[in-house]
Amino acid sequence: MTTNYPLLETIADPADLRRLPREQLPALASELRAFVLDSVSRTGGHLSSNLGTVELTVALHYVFDTPRDRLVWDVGHQTYPHKILTGRRERMPTLRQLGGLSGFPQRAESEYDTFGTAHSSTSISAALGMAVAARQKGEDRHAVAVIGDGAMTAGMAFEALNNAGVQHDCKLLVILNDNDMSISPPVGALNRYLAQLISGRFYAAAKNVGKSVLKVAPPLFELAKRFEQHAKGMVVPATLFEQFGFNYVGPIDGHDLESLIPTLENLRALQGPQFLHVVTKKGQGYKLAEADPVAYHGPGKFDPRVGLVKPAAPARQTFTQVFGQWLCDTAEKDERLVGITPAMREGSGLVEFEQRFPARYHDVGIAEQHAVTFAAGLACEGLKPVVAIYSTFLQRAYDQLIHDVALQNLPVVFALDRAGLVGADGATHAGAYDIPFVRCIPNMSLACPADERECRQLLSTAFAQDHPVAVRYPRGAGVGVEPLPGLDALPFGKAEIRRQGRRIAILAFGTLLYPAIAAGKALDATVVNMRWAKPVDTGLLLQVAATHDALVTVEEGAILGGAGSAVAEALAAAGVERPLLQLGLPDVFIEHGDPARLLALQGLDAKGIEASITARFGAARPAVKAA
């Protein structure tokens, strides 16, 4: 990494930053932005959002006494400048790699990461809790929540505002980082409202100047305040955040340190809930990212002088692409289909669907709870909603999944992308829990395709049902089994034997079928492609149990309550006793790293599966050569 960062290299922690003369801060911000660009280009990671928060990060650590003053980022992928200024600059080459820095704030990583944030819209609640705790403990410190405009679309943010607005003796500052862009383009009424506020910034400037002048004459100041309540409605809409009980300031330029620092200093001196609206630009300072912040949201390694180079067409489709194509093909055949995403149009593969079927496409913002109940309402009226949602984000709508969809037995399809381990995003985004939390819900079914072809077929199977069905599939590509062009479905709830062996039967759920087959060949074991975690194909299971000495289940999901548990329950219900080895993700949070390496560390590659089976049941007996 280049070393032309003379100011930045003097900053070991924010205390060093606070010792700098204020006139040197713009130069520091320039170096910090260059360092972020250089660093991310070498490791990959989130870029646009971090380029946009450079000046804001510098100003926050300059004005507030961090870590004594608590700083909570929302969401956490905008915190690379924060990490660099808080003693982790030298570790940036390890970003999002096994044993390296997390791409998100992590309490175990640094005292400056006061709250772990990788899912959105949690910061105001957490910061309010910290502010109330400071009050209760008699500690004079501030809590600051930095929340993006995309994260402000979630109901949890407004629940927190509603609670915070009555806490008049807490030192809480909420900063809305408004860059007119979450990951996908912004949607909804709140975004339109923020645009109106920004268009009325001349009103905010005039109001602040008037206050500073008239405060020397209190009677005139009171008269101006009363007039303001009426004038405000004529210039911009009544400020939503003031109605919640916050003192609203802004919008101000989030890249202008001459505005940011005095404003933050003034707000730091005030009691009660404060709200600062800053306007930033994603990709600030790097023209290519400014022009296309979506493409530069989370790039891999690249040359900053050249920018992103369009890769050659991959040899294999990703599961996300398979889903996107299936969605479009099915929508052509069935006008009842409606596609729904909670602010993940690109990540969930809905770009083409939006272009081709705009009236049947709904991006509801970062509002997973609403997405699920909205789908339930559509299903009540005879439509066939498909909710494209990451496994980790469906967790946020669990009550709605049970109460609004399953309890009413509504035919909603849930396309669960990023099931299993997700690599660089780590534990916060791992889809490790969907099998346990879906299969325990009455009326719900759960399919686990082994490859791209099965993914398309099982999506068709799910869409044909008259009850809720989830289909889980991992990030990235499978083994390269080409999907068939039609929309033919596979039999509902049925498994298949993929390899006939002896003594041991390996029951594989999902994409781990292929390492299971490799292990089966080495051990001369039978391998079953289970396909469904619920319902389990009990008929085939009992047939296999009757003809083998022991059973092994393999899944890329939590062992506790997972597909292996479903097999154990089915055997117990039938009164069948067989030795059963359950392989899957253990009862720990698995951190970031290369996905293949992480699976191998959990013993879920072919060699690991073979080793676990041998350790439990002994080496393979001499057998006829495997087919």
Side-chain angles (χ1 to χ4, degrees):
M1 188 172 291
T2 57
T3 58
N4 190 26
Y5 306 106
L7 269 179
L8 185 59
E9 289 176 354
T10 68
I11 308 300
D13 58 43
D16 292 332
L17 167 65
R18 291 189 280 270
R19 283 191 284 267
L20 288 179
R22 187 176 295 187
E23 59 268 21
Q24 288 190 306
L25 296 184
L28 175 67
S30 179
E31 290 184 19
L32 180 57
R33 176 168 284 110
F35 187 92
V36 168
L37 177 59
D38 187 21
S39 179
V40 175
S41 73
R42 295 167 185 267
T43 63
H46 296 100
L47 182 62
S48 298
S49 54
N50 285 288
L51 294 176
T53 58
V54 168
E55 287 83 7
L56 180 58
T57 305
V58 169
L60 284 168
H61 283 295
Y62 190 79
V63 171
F64 288 93
D65 184 20
T66 55
R68 176 177 173 77
D69 288 330
R70 312 300 198 230
L71 184 54
V72 182
W73 294 91
D74 186 355
V75 288
H77 59 51
Q78 59 185 339
T79 55
Y80 298 179
H82 162 81
K83 287 176 181 273
I84 293 164
L85 292 176
T86 55
R88 288 168 277 181
R89 184 181 71 250
E90 297 298 325
R91 295 188 64 202
M92 285 298 289
T94 71
L95 184 71
R96 291 158 49 94
Q97 299 167 39
L98 185 63
L101 286 180
S102 169
F104 302 98
Q106 194 175 80
R107 282 173 56 83
E109 187 177 286
S110 171
E111 63 178 336
Y112 291 93
D113 292 359
T114 60
F115 197 79
T117 51
H119 292 187
S120 80
S121 316
T122 61
S123 61
I124 304 176
S125 299
L128 176 60
M130 294 172 180
V132 169
R135 179 186 65 192
Q136 183 169 320
K137 295 162 68 178
E139 297 174 353
D140 182 19
R141 54 180 171 79
H142 291 73
V144 182
V146 183
I147 183 168
D149 57 303
M152 279 298 299
T153 62
M156 185 175 177
F158 287 90
E159 293 173 17
L161 289 175
N162 185 56
N163 185 202
V166 298
Q167 305 286 342
H168 299 300
D169 53 351
C170 282
K171 292 187 175 181
L172 172 69
L173 170 61
V174 175
I175 298 177
L176 174 61
N177 177 27
D178 183 2
N179 56 30
D180 198 39
M181 176 69 74
S182 49
I183 297 176
S184 297
V187 296
L190 178 64
N191 179 259
R192 290 198 301 269
Y193 174 75
L194 294 178
Q196 287 176 308
L197 283 178
I198 295 170
S199 68
R201 78 169 65 203
F202 73 91
Y203 158 75
K207 179 182 76 170
N208 291 334
V209 170
K211 281 183 178 179
S212 62
V213 172
L214 292 173
K215 273 192 175 179
V216 299
L220 291 178
F221 180 58
E222 289 303 315
L223 177 63
K225 279 181 64 178
R226 292 194 204 100
F227 176 75
E228 177 189 4
Q229 301 305 315
H230 298 281
K232 181 181 293 187
M234 294 185 289
V235 182
V236 294
T239 304
L240 171 67
F241 307 107
E242 289 183 346
Q243 300 303 313
F244 273 107
F246 282 76
N247 174 44
Y248 174 88
V249 175
I252 68 171
D253 185 348
H255 300 298
D256 181 7
L257 287 166
E258 292 303 313
S259 296
L260 275 173
I261 290 176
T263 302
L264 288 172
E265 288 175 337
N266 290 338
L267 289 171
R268 190 173 187 270
L270 299 176
Q271 281 288 118
Q274 308 295 318
F275 194 103
L276 174 61
H277 184 173
V278 302
V279 179
T280 61
K281 186 176 184 63
K282 260 195 170 184
Q284 173 74 11
Y286 183 51
K287 296 301 182 183
L288 295 174
E290 289 181 18
D292 193 351
V294 173
Y296 285 87
H297 170 73
K301 299 177 184 179
F302 68 101
D303 184 344
R305 296 167 298 180
V306 176
L308 300 181
V309 178
K310 187 175 181 180
R316 296 177 293 173
Q317 281 186 291
T318 66
F319 282 95
T320 302
Q321 291 169 332
V322 170
F323 164 74
Q325 188 61 57
W326 170 84
L327 192 68
C328 291
D329 292 348
T330 306
E332 276 191 344
K333 300 288 186 182
D334 194 330
E335 64 183 14
R336 297 175 301 162
L337 186 149
V338 177
I340 302 168
T341 176
M344 295 302 293
R345 181 187 66 175
E346 287 80 12
S348 292
L350 275 74
V351 173
E352 183 182 349
F353 181 82
E354 181 199 18
Q355 294 168 349
R356 292 176 57 185
F357 306 96
R360 293 152 67 185
Y361 166 82
H362 299 276
D363 182 346
V364 301
I366 302 177
E368 293 88 357
Q369 292 171 299
H370 165 63
V372 172
T373 303
F374 173 55
L378 292 168
C380 283
E381 299 302 320
L383 298 183
K384 293 282 285 188
V386 177
V387 181
I389 188 168
Y390 289 8
S391 169
T392 187
F393 296 145
L394 184 59
Q395 297 162 191
R396 297 166 67 98
Y398 194 51
D399 180 63
Q400 288 69 29
L401 184 64
I402 296 173
H403 182 272
D404 299 335
V405 174
L407 187 62
Q408 303 182 96
N409 203 25
L410 295 171
V412 178
V413 174
F414 295 91
L416 304 188
D417 205 326
R418 271 63 167 179
L421 299 179
V422 292
D425 282 339
T428 56
H429 284 61
Y433 316 108
D434 52 70
I435 297 178
F437 77 62
V438 167
R439 77 173 194 87
C440 69
I441 304 173
N443 294 330
M444 287 287 302
S445 296
L446 178 59
C448 309
D451 52 44
E452 302 91 331
R453 179 175 297 175
E454 281 196 355
C455 186
R456 182 177 172 95
Q457 293 172 309
L458 287 172
L459 284 164
S460 292
T461 306
F463 191 76
Q465 306 309 308
D466 59 359
H467 66 274
V469 183
V471 181
R472 74 184 308 259
Y473 46 90
R475 183 175 190 171
V479 295
V481 181
E482 189 72 21
L484 299 175
L487 293 170
D488 294 336
L490 290 170
F492 177 78
K494 295 299 181 182
E496 62 166 357
I497 295 177
R498 288 291 291 267
R499 183 187 189 281
Q500 188 64 56
R502 305 182 311 132
R503 188 177 166 234
I504 306 293
I506 306 173
L507 314 179
F509 294 82
T511 55
L512 293 187
L513 170 68
Y514 289 94
I517 289 175
K521 289 179 178 178
L523 297 168
D524 191 26
T526 294
V527 180
V528 182
N529 177 18
M530 293 299 291
R531 284 186 179 147
W532 294 86
K534 184 184 180 183
V536 169
D537 187 345
T538 306
L540 184 56
L541 171 63
L542 295 180
Q543 174 189 325
V544 169
T547 54
H548 293 78
D549 298 337
L551 305 177
V552 180
T553 60
V554 182
E555 60 191 299
E556 191 176 342
I559 293 175
L560 297 183
S565 296
V567 168
E569 292 159 12
L571 293 173
V576 174
E577 294 185 8
R578 282 290 180 277
L580 175 64
L581 172 62
Q582 298 178 41
L583 302 179
L585 300 179
D587 188 25
V588 296
F589 291 112
I590 298 171
E591 293 298 338
H592 47 276
D594 175 73
R597 175 66 174 150
L598 293 176
L599 282 174
L601 288 173
Q602 306 309 316
L604 295 177
D605 60 349
K607 289 183 178 179
I609 293 169
E610 179 186 348
S612 294
I613 294 173
T614 300
R616 176 72 178 271
F617 300 117
R621 295 174 182 172
V624 295
K625 184 178 293 186

